[in-house]
Amino acid sequence: MTADEAKKRIDQLTEELNHHNYLYYVKSEPSISDFDFDMLLEELIRLEAQYPEWMHADSPSQRVGGDITKDFPVVRHQYPMMSLSNSYSREEIVEFENRIKKLIDGEIEYVCELKYDGVAISVAYENGKFLRAVTRGDGEQGEDISPNVKTIRSIPLRLHKGDYPAHFEIRGEIYFPRANFEKLNKEREEAGEPLFANPRNTASGTLKLQDSAIVAKRGLDCFLYGMAGENLPFKTHFESIQSAGNWGFKVPKVEDQFIRVCKSISEIMEFIDWWDEKRKSLWFDIDGIVIKVNDYRQQQELGFTAKSPRWAIAYKFKAEQVSTTLESISYQVGRTGAITPVANLTPVLLAGTMVKRASLHNADQMEKWDLHHHDTVFVEKGGEIIPKIVGVDLAKRTSHAHRFIFPDKCPECGSMLQRKEGEAQHFCPNESACPPQIKGKMIHFTSRKAMDIEGLGEETIEQLYGAGLIRDIGDIYELKKERLLPLERMAEKSVNNLLAGIEQSKSVPFERVLFALGIRFVGETVAKKLARHFLSISKLSAARLEELTAVEEIGEKIAQSVREWFDEPVNLHLVDRLKQAGLQLEVDPESVKPKGNKLKGMSIVVSGVFQSFSRDGIKEVIEINGGKASGSVSKKTSFLLAGEEAGPSKLEKAKELGVKIITEEEFKQLLA
């Protein structure tokens, strides 16, 4: 793959995965399997590691997830709810254990647990009493669904007496027991109502019901398996789970074989093999095994990637497979103009889910399977959602079947499609007049990490676009109450809230406005660097290529993209309209100056656990005092800041290179 091919693929994967995150977390209408999503995400992470200058700040690799629905109050997690890295082979588990051994000296214990197929939840307790229950959401914030969670009898409202902290959170999985799910479907069948597809999706939908009395009748259940809080009185994860059981929580028990401490890879594999065979005998669904480093100190030393903890991994059981008929192929147009073919299938039941569609990704994927009308295709999935096509039964193909041909025109606007040499995706070039592209740009502009305009989500943008009220981003700030009120679902309160959200967005800082504009390759991080360097959109728009590339971490590709965007008259006109609307298009110079210079010019490596700082907190202290937090020791390192249980390899490297090693106390004295 060439460098140009890589950048295009990164763009494509970022858009596609963000879309799937939205479908999964917001719409509860997932369109690809867990396995497919994970494979695409792994490909993106690999490419971003090779070409970090092209990584988008809103990349699915940095984040964990997608947007929050507004049916329940939105609450920010005190401790982020990160997802786990997934593996689908025994070799990946061996690689995981080898990585841990390289990073941690001494004996390492692992805890193996079931991977419950339910809905992640975090329940907070204050002085032994239930405080609130919050969904995972996007990992940073979720929905407070306390009234519904209180109906789940296995979640205590008051704890037994014990040595629990005054405030802590416990995480777990809410699930629908098979017997209760089957009972519910039987009742719906007798009432002539449509049946629910599977326990996991039904549990998710149940928890979002407004009437908690209905939730109570459905009989949801929950296993709790992880603690979060300050100064927890435990040395290991296993110890915390045993204590939580004593406090009144329903936790996985050793006697049920739901949890086991393992000291070797062979013991881990034995646990996996046991449950791969026995899982169908359970009264609830699981889709794999979770492996965690047991010792909390070792967990802290291993730390986290942007998406997941380094000290844990999930092993997914082998996917199931069925055959069905390919009825047709439709073509979707994304925000960047990328065309994605989607296979429409004769509905088929696969592991509790009625599968109707599968993404074919691009023309090459269609060509790979040489797809014909009414082919019998094999479909597979690694979770409970829509799978991929993994083969064609050629013996069942009829002699008169016609081959599917990828279109040469955009299905939305009729423009001739383009495909540059070496690229996998076809694109519609009609950026300014193709409806899905226009609406996609507005959806990005109003999203939470951009302008965060409450009340102006995808559905509302679709409605306003259909009514002819908005045709580009600038139109958002010209919406009037009298033109909104006649629209369906636009009562006075809704309109007032929408207009208030638009007005409030005018205070969003310049760096987020720049990100919201959707300039190619300008994600959150790049937007922040450009905004803080040039301080205003006027100076940025006038910057030459060499001035752009002089900014830290801004490569030629990003600079070229920025320059091309501002060279377009239509974009300069948009900037003028946003200025007139009152958006923040410059930065206060005082706000970007370091608060101190005691570490000015220093490159500092941090390792270990600290008493007065979190790992992220100590890096922030370094940066606001003019220093730079580096990840690895080199000759250019000013000093290694070593906490308790600092990494042996970093200590050894520092000694080898003659790099000074200081303690936390010495660091505090340096700042004093």
Side-chain angles (χ1 to χ4, degrees):
M1 179 179 286
T2 66
D4 284 340
E5 289 171 354
K7 73 170 184 178
K8 297 298 183 185
R9 183 61 175 157
I10 287 173
D11 285 349
Q12 175 198 343
L13 288 168
T14 300
E15 179 188 8
E16 185 174 352
L17 288 167
N18 277 332
H19 178 64
H20 290 311
N21 269 327
Y22 171 77
L23 291 178
Y24 190 94
Y25 289 102
V26 179
K27 304 289 284 185
S28 294
E29 295 173 359
S31 61
I32 62 170
S33 68
D34 285 348
F35 180 86
D36 281 356
F37 186 96
D38 292 333
M39 292 301 101
L40 292 173
L41 185 58
E42 284 182 19
E43 181 185 357
L44 178 61
I45 292 170
R46 187 170 63 253
L47 286 172
E48 287 174 344
Q50 291 178 265
Y51 304 95
E53 69 272 25
W54 297 330
M55 182 174 72
H56 296 260
D58 66 338
S59 168
S61 67
Q62 303 303 303
R63 56 178 293 205
V64 184
D67 294 328
I68 309 301
T69 58
K70 305 297 181 182
D71 295 332
F72 293 91
V74 176
V75 176
R76 182 163 290 277
H77 292 297
Q78 186 174 355
Y79 312 99
M81 291 186 72
M82 305 189 84
S83 58
L84 294 177
S85 296
N86 288 327
S87 65
Y88 294 87
S89 70
R90 309 300 172 97
E91 290 76 18
E92 289 175 293
I93 301 300
V94 173
E95 289 171 7
F96 164 76
E97 199 225 9
N98 287 337
R99 286 196 302 273
I100 299 297
K101 285 181 175 178
K102 288 178 182 178
L103 296 169
I104 298 292
D105 290 336
E107 185 177 341
I108 303 170
E109 282 186 344
Y110 300 91
V111 175
C112 289
E113 306 171 11
L114 306 183
K115 187 176 184 301
Y116 305 97
D117 197 11
V119 181
I121 194 75
S122 182
V123 190
Y125 285 81
E126 188 108 329
N127 297 320
K129 296 180 180 178
F130 180 103
L131 182 62
R132 73 173 64 89
V134 183
T135 62
R136 183 199 299 277
D138 65 357
E140 295 177 3
Q141 59 183 23
E143 296 168 297
D144 185 339
I145 56 170
S146 299
N148 287 343
V149 172
K150 282 182 178 179
T151 69
I152 301 173
R153 295 180 181 272
S154 55
I155 296 179
L157 301 181
R158 182 189 293 268
L159 302 183
H160 301 165
K161 290 184 179 180
D163 57 346
Y164 44 76
H167 179 89
F168 71 95
E169 295 179 19
I170 188 164
R171 273 81 190 265
E173 205 90 0
I174 294 174
Y175 64 91
F176 217 137
R178 288 176 183 163
N180 294 355
F181 175 73
E182 290 167 5
K183 177 185 175 184
L184 176 63
N185 261 349
K186 185 177 180 181
E187 291 171 354
R188 293 180 67 83
E189 184 177 20
E190 290 172 353
E193 298 174 341
L195 304 186
F196 289 125
N198 60 73
R200 193 268 170 202
N201 285 357
T202 310
S204 178
T206 298
L207 288 170
K208 292 185 179 182
L209 292 175
Q210 294 293 329
D211 187 351
S212 60
I214 299 175
V215 181
K217 291 177 182 177
R218 290 193 173 177
L220 298 178
D221 207 338
C222 182
F223 275 109
L224 295 156
Y225 49 67
M227 302 280 288
E230 300 294 332
N231 303 315
L232 294 175
F234 315 110
K235 291 184 178 179
T236 67
H237 169 66
F238 185 76
E239 181 188 350
S240 74
I241 298 305
Q242 300 304 301
S243 295
N246 295 332
W247 299 342
F249 291 110
K250 183 174 182 177
V251 298
K253 296 180 180 178
V254 174
E255 54 266 36
D256 294 330
Q257 301 279 4
F258 288 179
I259 186 170
R260 182 190 298 176
V261 176
C262 299
K263 297 181 181 293
S264 66
I265 192 69
S266 61
E267 291 182 8
I268 292 173
M269 294 304 181
E270 182 184 332
F271 190 83
I272 289 173
D273 290 337
W274 167 270
W275 280 111
D276 199 4
E277 181 181 343
K278 300 289 185 180
R279 57 190 166 118
K280 292 184 179 178
S281 63
L282 288 169
W283 66 90
F284 53 88
D285 292 336
I286 65 172
D287 59 357
I289 299 296
V290 176
I291 303 108
K292 303 173 183 174
V293 171
N294 191 22
D295 188 275
Y296 277 155
R297 288 285 189 179
Q298 291 177 341
Q299 286 187 9
Q300 286 181 302
E301 176 63 23
L302 290 164
F304 300 83
T305 66
K307 178 179 178 287
S308 57
R310 291 191 180 92
W311 42 265
I313 194 170
Y315 172 81
K316 290 289 200 77
F317 292 130
K318 183 175 173 55
E320 297 184 47
Q321 189 181 107
V322 295
S323 64
T324 187
T325 302
L326 172 61
E327 296 183 347
S328 63
I329 294 178
S330 52
Y331 301 88
Q332 297 178 341
V333 184
R335 174 170 65 92
T336 63
I339 310 297
T340 302
V342 177
N344 300 304
L345 310 169
T346 299
V348 60
L349 189 64
L350 179 56
T353 302
M354 194 60 71
V355 175
K356 299 177 182 179
R357 288 156 46 101
S359 173
L360 290 166
H361 306 301
N362 52 53
D364 292 342
Q365 185 76 6
M366 288 175 56
E367 189 174 343
K368 173 184 176 182
W369 299 119
D370 187 30
L371 296 173
H372 285 57
H373 288 266
H374 304 297
D375 268 348
T376 297
V377 294
F378 298 107
V379 290
E380 186 179 279
K381 64 178 179 177
E384 81 291 345
I385 52 179
I386 297 177
K388 67 175 181 179
I389 292 175
V390 295
V392 179
D393 190 344
L394 297 176
K396 293 185 178 180
R397 178 177 290 168
T398 59
S399 58
H400 58 274
H402 296 291
R403 188 169 180 266
F404 282 104
I405 305 297
F406 199 91
D408 57 2
K409 293 181 180 179
C410 174
E412 295 287 342
C413 69
S415 300
M416 292 298 296
L417 298 181
Q418 297 177 357
R419 182 182 184 183
K420 294 181 181 179
E421 187 176 351
E423 290 187 3
Q425 209 82 21
H426 285 74
F427 286 85
C428 169
N430 189 13
E431 187 177 345
S432 61
C434 185
Q437 295 188 62
I438 297 169
K439 289 182 283 186
K441 286 177 174 60
M442 288 191 279
I443 290 167
H444 169 75
F445 183 82
T446 60
S447 64
R448 186 174 59 82
K449 291 194 174 183
M451 302 306 290
D452 193 19
I453 301 179
E454 187 169 349
L456 196 53
E458 181 174 357
E459 188 176 337
T460 305
I461 286 172
E462 289 275 2
Q463 182 183 17
L464 297 180
Y465 183 87
L469 297 184
I470 53 175
R471 280 293 179 264
D472 63 19
I473 290 165
D475 290 340
I476 292 171
Y477 293 93
E478 296 176 6
L479 289 171
K480 302 297 180 185
K481 184 174 183 178
E482 58 270 19
R483 299 197 66 189
L484 292 170
L485 283 173
L487 299 178
E488 187 180 351
R489 301 191 308 277
M490 282 289 182
E492 184 155 351
K493 183 178 179 181
S494 301
V495 171
N496 289 338
N497 288 340
L498 172 57
L499 294 175
I502 292 171
E503 188 63 29
Q504 189 176 354
S505 74
K506 294 178 182 179
S507 63
V508 166
F510 173 41
E511 60 196 40
R512 280 174 53 191
V513 178
L514 183 56
F515 166 62
L517 292 176
I519 303 171
R520 179 168 285 191
F521 309 135
V522 178
E524 283 181 274
T525 302
V526 170
K528 183 180 293 186
K529 290 185 181 297
L530 290 172
R532 294 186 177 189
H533 182 87
F534 291 101
L535 301 181
S536 72
I537 203 162
S538 298
K539 291 180 181 177
L540 175 60
S541 65
R544 300 187 304 274
L545 275 175
E546 54 268 29
E547 292 176 305
L548 290 164
T549 54
V551 181
E552 183 185 6
E553 296 184 28
I554 304 300
E556 188 176 332
K557 299 294 182 183
I558 297 175
Q560 186 66 42
S561 176
V562 172
R563 189 62 268 148
E564 288 175 357
W565 195 89
F566 283 107
D567 284 341
E568 288 289 337
V570 66
N571 293 332
L572 291 177
H573 178 61
L574 172 62
V575 169
D576 286 338
R577 292 177 69 193
L578 297 181
K579 277 183 183 177
Q580 292 170 16
L583 273 67
Q584 303 298 311
L585 297 175
E586 39 183 71
V587 176
D588 178 5
E590 292 299 317
S591 69
V592 298
K593 287 183 179 179
K595 294 182 173 61
N597 60 3
K598 293 177 180 177
L599 303 177
K600 186 176 181 180
M602 293 186 182
S603 176
I604 302 163
V605 175
V606 178
S607 181
V609 181
F610 301 91
Q611 296 297 320
S612 304
F613 307 95
S614 66
R615 287 293 291 272
D616 290 337
I618 205 164
K619 290 178 181 178
E620 185 177 344
V621 168
I622 290 170
E623 290 174 359
I624 65 175
N625 281 279
K628 179 181 178 182
S630 178
S632 58
V633 178
S634 70
K635 290 181 179 179
K636 296 181 179 179
T637 301
S638 303
F639 60 82
L640 170 64
L641 174 53
E644 294 179 35
E645 301 185 21
S649 60
K650 288 181 178 176
L651 289 170
E652 187 177 335
K653 185 75 171 177
K655 291 174 183 176
E656 180 186 322
L657 296 175
V659 172
K660 186 178 180 180
I661 301 172
I662 71 170
T663 65
E664 182 177 358
E665 282 305 311
E666 290 172 323
F667 178 70
K668 289 161 76 173
Q669 290 170 15
L670 182 62
L671 295 176

